[in-house]
Amino acid sequence: MTRRTPFLAANWKLHLGPAESARLASDIRVRTADLRDVTIAIFPTALSITAVVDALRGSSIGVGPQEIEAAPIGAWTGANSATLCRAAGCEFALVGHSERRQHYGETSQRCNQRLFAAFAAGLVPIYCVGETLGERRAGRVEQVVGDQLSAGLDRLESDQIASLTLAYEPVWAIGTGETATPEQAQQVHAFIRSWLAARIGPTLAGQVRIQYGGSVKPSNAAEILSQPDVDGALVGGASLDAANFAAIAMQAISP
Ligand code: PGA
């Protein structure tokens, strides 16, 4: 079986200005400095990206925007571009987070354009998928996630798909304190990997890191992260506390 390096991401959403972000990033840097074989990335607000890049200079922690526009530059008032984020020192980009889908009308088709933009700029995207509670209750999890994958990853080259990260984030578990059980998470992660195997072949599918997201905290991380197809976590609320985020990262390397 392919060994996949765990990938822990901190999604700070609309929290913390530049000075507070730099402080929290430095604290996370210190607390995770001894961890080997783990990828860590921080997604601050766009306003704080530069401060966080500066605070993390010389460390192995990556930085990225929480969303990017498909266009690299131009008349797109209020948008972030992958090209400009790369110029600001970013290495990663979140694409298609459920809060973007919910509040900003983000669609998987538009995410597809954003994924192309991320690759064109040299950013590694994390593409988020996941069902609502209603869709889960209606037994539509695989259909919904499958559709998000088909539309979002449309026309991407196999090696591009192999190099991106996916985040399975059941919408009902985000910011609610509700977490998918480890079995529920594993079931969807295994479905995603089999979908990938059909699209790009089992060998490349075995390389793709699939994060779980939704109320991950130190007390539930070990169980979720020990599932065979869970390769890390996209952490929201708990990542605003350096000790909590470092504790989750610790469990990712020795689940
Ligand atoms: P949460 O957020 O950990 O606060 O549930 C996760 C996310 O939205 O990425």
Side-chain angles (χ1 to χ4, degrees):
M1 197 179 104
T2 319
R3 159 123 174 71
R4 294 178 292 271
T5 304
F7 185 178
L8 261 290
N11 174 13
W12 290 350
K13 308 190 180 185
L14 190 49
H15 294 284
L16 310 180
E20 298 162 299
S21 295
R23 266 198 300 277
L24 181 55
S26 302
D27 200 358
I28 288 176
R29 175 184 191 162
V30 169
R31 288 172 190 268
T32 59
D34 294 336
L35 302 186
R36 298 281 168 269
D37 295 327
V38 60
T39 307
I40 297 178
I42 295 177
F43 297 86
T45 68
L47 272 177
S48 302
I49 283 177
T50 311
V52 172
V53 166
D54 284 345
L56 296 175
R57 209 173 291 288
S59 82
S60 59
I61 301 179
V63 182
Q66 297 168 8
E67 188 57 277
I68 46 169
E69 189 46 67
I73 199 166
W76 296 89
T77 303
N80 280 328
S81 102
T83 308
L84 298 186
C85 287
R86 183 79 189 108
C90 292
E91 292 171 64
F92 297 95
L94 286 184
V95 173
H97 189 279
S98 69
E99 285 153 17
R100 300 292 307 175
R101 294 179 189 261
Q102 194 182 338
H103 304 309
Y104 298 89
E106 196 57 73
T107 62
S108 297
Q109 286 71 22
R110 290 225 312 237
C111 291
N112 180 246
Q113 298 168 353
R114 300 181 198 295
L115 290 172
F116 275 101
F119 282 117
L123 297 181
V124 176
I126 299 179
Y127 177 48
C128 306
V129 298
E131 81 288 356
T132 63
L133 189 56
E135 289 163 343
R136 174 164 284 267
R137 287 195 174 136
R140 296 182 53 226
V141 176
E142 294 192 357
Q143 187 199 329
V144 168
V145 172
D147 286 350
Q148 290 169 336
L149 291 171
S150 310
L153 304 184
D154 188 34
R155 293 172 298 113
L156 287 173
E157 302 289 342
S158 297
D159 61 336
Q160 289 177 316
I161 295 177
S163 72
L164 57 67
T165 291
L166 293 171
Y168 168 57
E169 297 209 302
V171 177
W172 48 273
I174 296 177
T176 58
E178 294 253 354
T179 322
T181 64
E183 295 72 30
Q184 284 173 324
Q186 169 57 25
Q187 211 171 24
V188 182
H189 282 233
F191 164 73
I192 292 173
R193 202 170 306 283
S194 67
W195 187 97
L196 289 169
R199 172 76 157 77
I200 60 174
T203 306
L204 289 181
Q207 297 174 13
V208 178
R209 292 187 286 190
I210 309 174
Q211 298 172 327
Y212 169 80
S215 300
V216 174
K217 42 188 185 260
S219 59
N220 62 22
E223 255 197 323
I224 293 174
L225 292 167
S226 65
Q227 299 300 310
D229 286 295
V230 177
D231 309 309
L234 178 52
V235 186
S239 72
L240 293 168
D241 179 293
N244 282 342
F245 185 68
I248 295 169
M250 216 100 71
Q251 298 183 50
I253 51 172
S254 54

